[in-house]
Amino acid sequence: MVLKKKKHCYIRTFGCQMNVHDSEQMVELLEKGGYETTSDMARADLIIVNTCSVREKAEQKIHSFLGRLRRDKEKNPDLIIGIAGCVAQQWGRNFLDKVHHLDFVLGTHNIHRLPEIVKDVESSRSRIAETTFRKSVQSLGILTIPKNGKVNAFVTIMQGCNNFCAYCIVPYLRGREESRKSSEILDEIRFLAAHGVKEVTLLGQNVNSYGNTLKNEADFSTLLAMINGVEGIERIRFTTSHPKDLSDELIESFVTLDKLCEHIHLPIQSGSDSVLKRMRRGYTSQDYLARVEKLRARCPDISITTDIIVGFPGESDEDFQKTIDLMRKVRFDNLFSFKYSDRPGIASESYNDKVEEKVKSERLSFLQNLQETHTLEKNRGLEGKEEEVLIEGASKGSEEEMTGRTRTNRIVNLPGENGLTGKTVPVKIVRAYMHSLRGELLPGREV
Ligand code: SAH
Ligand code: SF4
Ligand code: F3S
């Protein structure tokens, strides 16, 4: 008898949490189709690069990664190489002309078609590009069974975006906004709970407008209340919120829903009203501050994180100073900051007064230094305090160390045993660092 050799697939993921989840779905589909995943690219029979195009640098990274794969294909002509995600969507069929060692291009709405496409490539060695936009959110519902005892999982509640912020390529690559039915979302979350998941993170480009594209569907805060009732789920998170759509009902959810964690990622992008206007964000810095004030009045411990772009076309020193002033007012728990980057087809590509690279770099490093002082100050404020920590598993550095997160999404490392994985435990914070906290288990106490 000849034993059939198991085929191996390797997926490299770039980009946002949405892409991470899309890769998890691809793994699920490929494993069902007889592939085994490997973390060793050299062993792979199939390599998929799941890509991001949000900034020019992100796209460049993809092209150089793909370029390096040419050698592997020369050495092993049977190797199948596919590209998925946002750069795949952007280039479509042109990718096949440009990169000759590429076998298939899989657009952002077509993950469910992966098994078929791989089969076709295997059988006929044809080269395939599938980047059709689909209204049916078909790809979103692929169930992924949590691997290696994972206690947290992503659940996509909507695809696409209708906002068309002037700097952003995402709506062009992920299509128009479409929500999934709440009944489907709840079924998926019940399935995850039955497989040991304790924490779900709901994903969407703008979760606040959940339900808008469906008739007689729950709005976002109602959806959260429904998920709060799912047995076995202990924590709910979501990302991302758009400040213009952050409703009072959602703010109240932080008070009324026991499982909703006290953290909100609320990208501001700039503190200058004229920049915000040209970005087409639909709110002013005053509107933003009013939302933050209300969030903190109703939920004093809430952690607020944000995204900021420096060097948007026409951003003056005064505009930048307004961003800094706003940061000092809000004192964000943390933030992601980026240098503005031109993307093909976005509105601001044609704006005048592009900011020099050197000025962008100076602004970015000034802003990041300021944020470091705020992050550390916030983390130090937790020293000596008690926090509920959901243990996610052994920490990377040491076997006797466990790692988990506070409800406010801070990483905590603590001495402990593997048996703690999946448990929510009371922890005393003993030391604060920039990127994590150090804690000690409070023995004999239940949360
Ligand atoms: N849907 C989310 C995030 C989308 S992209 C939201 O609305 O917040 C993630 C972040 O990348 C954005 O918040 C923005 O800060 C940044 N970004 C998007 N396009 C960019 C560009 N052209 N240059 C630099 N940063 C950009
Ligand atoms: Fe991009 Fe704006 Fe949509 Fe976010 S809300 S994905 S920044 S267009
Ligand atoms: Fe990047 Fe696409 Fe996400 S461009 S940020 S991978 S939606």
Side-chain angles (χ1 to χ4, degrees):
M1 191 176 75
V2 182
L3 275 180
K4 215 170 147 201
K5 187 178 150 262
K6 205 111 179 138
K7 289 178 292 184
H8 290 92
C9 65
Y10 172 91
I11 302 189
R12 171 69 73 93
T13 310
F14 296 86
C16 64
Q17 287 168 318
M18 235 165 245
N19 258 17
V20 172
H21 186 46
D22 290 350
S23 290
E24 289 170 348
Q25 292 182 319
M26 289 193 255
V27 164
E28 196 70 38
L29 293 173
L30 290 170
E31 287 185 352
K32 277 203 187 98
Y35 275 89
E36 204 169 279
T37 34
T38 173
S39 53
D40 177 8
M41 194 163 80
R43 288 186 67 199
D45 305 284
L46 165 65
I47 296 175
I48 298 178
V49 193
N50 193 10
T51 61
C52 173
S53 191
V54 77
R55 282 166 290 278
E56 196 183 352
K57 257 210 186 126
E59 192 190 337
Q60 277 165 359
K61 245 197 246 170
I62 308 302
H63 293 297
S64 60
F65 185 78
L66 271 179
R68 288 198 297 274
L69 293 182
R70 186 166 58 92
R71 281 274 204 80
D72 301 80
K73 182 83 167 187
E74 276 166 8
K75 268 192 256 160
N76 171 16
D78 289 337
L79 175 67
I80 297 175
I81 303 177
I83 181 155
C86 289
V87 184
Q89 187 67 44
Q90 185 184 337
W91 285 78
R93 182 157 287 281
N94 295 338
F95 233 130
L96 297 178
D97 302 332
K98 190 177 146 68
V99 182
H100 292 205
H101 53 283
L102 201 55
D103 293 288
F104 68 87
V105 179
L106 188 73
T108 53
H109 287 193
N110 292 281
I111 294 171
H112 61 290
R113 295 228 36 229
L114 179 64
E116 246 176 284
I117 289 175
V118 170
K119 233 186 223 152
D120 283 352
V121 174
E122 281 173 341
S123 59
S124 63
R125 296 310 301 185
S126 47
R127 300 176 78 215
I128 299 169
E130 171 57 287
T131 53
T132 319
F133 269 156
R134 294 169 197 276
K135 215 174 136 56
S136 59
V137 295
Q138 232 170 327
S139 266
L140 303 189
I142 300 163
L143 288 180
T144 53
I145 300 169
K147 306 259 177 339
N148 311 319
K150 253 187 102 186
V151 296
N152 39 26
F154 293 124
V155 176
T156 311
I157 63 166
M158 61 208 293
Q159 73 181 13
C161 180
N162 289 348
N163 284 315
F164 291 93
C165 301
Y167 52 80
C168 187
I169 197 170
V170 170
Y172 304 94
L173 306 180
R174 294 268 170 176
R176 294 297 74 72
E177 182 181 305
E178 286 295 333
S179 296
R180 266 175 90 194
K181 279 196 202 137
S182 56
S183 54
E184 259 179 47
I185 296 170
L186 283 165
D187 282 349
E188 178 166 339
I189 294 175
R190 286 190 201 104
F191 168 90
L192 292 169
H195 284 81
V197 164
K198 307 279 188 222
E199 176 182 297
V200 286
T201 302
L202 311 178
L203 296 180
Q205 297 298 347
N206 178 14
V207 290
N208 300 152
S209 58
Y210 171 78
N212 286 357
T213 59
L214 297 172
K215 267 200 199 126
N216 306 322
E217 189 46 275
D219 64 7
F220 186 53
S221 32
T222 313
L223 177 73
L224 286 173
M226 288 153 97
I227 298 171
N228 201 67
V230 175
E231 218 174 297
I233 295 298
E234 292 173 14
R235 288 180 168 192
I236 308 167
R237 302 185 185 280
F238 59 82
T239 196
T240 300
S241 285
H242 196 303
K244 79 174 162 54
D245 301 319
L246 173 56
S247 66
D248 285 346
E249 287 77 18
L250 180 56
I251 295 179
E252 280 313 298
S253 304
F254 285 107
V255 185
T256 53
L257 303 180
D258 59 329
K259 297 179 182 175
L260 186 60
C261 289
E262 293 78 16
H263 169 226
I264 187 161
H265 186 62
L266 197 60
I268 177 141
Q269 312 299 358
S270 168
S272 153
D273 290 341
S274 76
V275 173
L276 285 172
K277 195 158 184 206
R278 278 179 294 118
M279 286 178 162
R280 304 183 181 164
R281 287 290 285 176
Y283 55 84
T284 62
S285 56
Q286 274 314 314
D287 297 335
Y288 189 91
L289 286 170
R291 294 282 80 186
V292 166
E293 206 170 292
K294 182 134 197 193
L295 275 165
R296 286 187 172 151
R298 299 298 296 140
C299 185
D301 291 332
I302 196 161
S303 151
I304 303 179
T305 56
T306 202
D307 290 348
I308 292 179
I309 297 175
V310 299
F312 184 75
E315 184 188 69
S316 64
D317 285 342
E318 290 73 38
D319 290 322
F320 178 63
Q321 188 55 45
K322 285 183 182 150
T323 299
I324 296 297
D325 293 345
L326 185 132
M327 279 174 67
R328 290 200 165 110
K329 259 189 215 147
V330 176
R331 299 189 108 74
F332 290 105
D333 291 78
N334 215 334
L335 60 74
F336 297 103
S337 49
F338 314 99
K339 286 194 261 185
Y340 170 79
S341 161
D342 259 344
R343 307 303 298 125
I346 58 171
S348 55
E349 194 191 10
S350 61
Y351 288 10
N352 295 326
D353 300 330
K354 295 277 159 67
V355 176
E356 256 177 85
E357 202 50 37
K358 184 170 157 275
V359 174
K360 283 196 250 182
S361 300
E362 281 165 9
R363 287 181 187 164
L364 189 72
S365 77
F366 186 87
L367 183 155
Q368 288 179 338
N369 284 337
L370 176 65
Q371 183 55 43
E372 285 191 359
T373 64
H374 292 168
T375 305
L376 206 52
E377 172 192 286
K378 293 265 175 177
N379 286 354
R380 289 218 172 113
L382 295 175
E383 283 180 351
K385 298 241 163 77
E386 187 181 322
E387 291 281 325
E388 277 181 26
V389 175
L390 170 59
I391 304 292
E392 294 176 4
S395 88
K396 277 193 195 119
S398 146
E399 296 237 325
E400 286 107 55
E401 289 258 309
M402 302 304 286
T403 188
R405 275 169 207 268
T406 64
R407 286 178 63 98
T408 55
N409 210 28
R410 291 179 166 88
I411 295 170
V412 182
N413 295 308
L414 64 157
E417 292 160 10
N418 232 320
L420 287 175
T421 301
K423 296 213 164 78
T424 302
V425 290
V427 170
K428 185 177 171 186
I429 305 303
V430 292
R431 194 81 206 259
Y433 304 98
M434 186 72 71
H435 302 292
S436 67
L437 304 170
R438 178 132 205 94
E440 279 167 9
L441 216 53
L442 287 165
R445 298 268 311 276
E446 290 293 319
V447 171

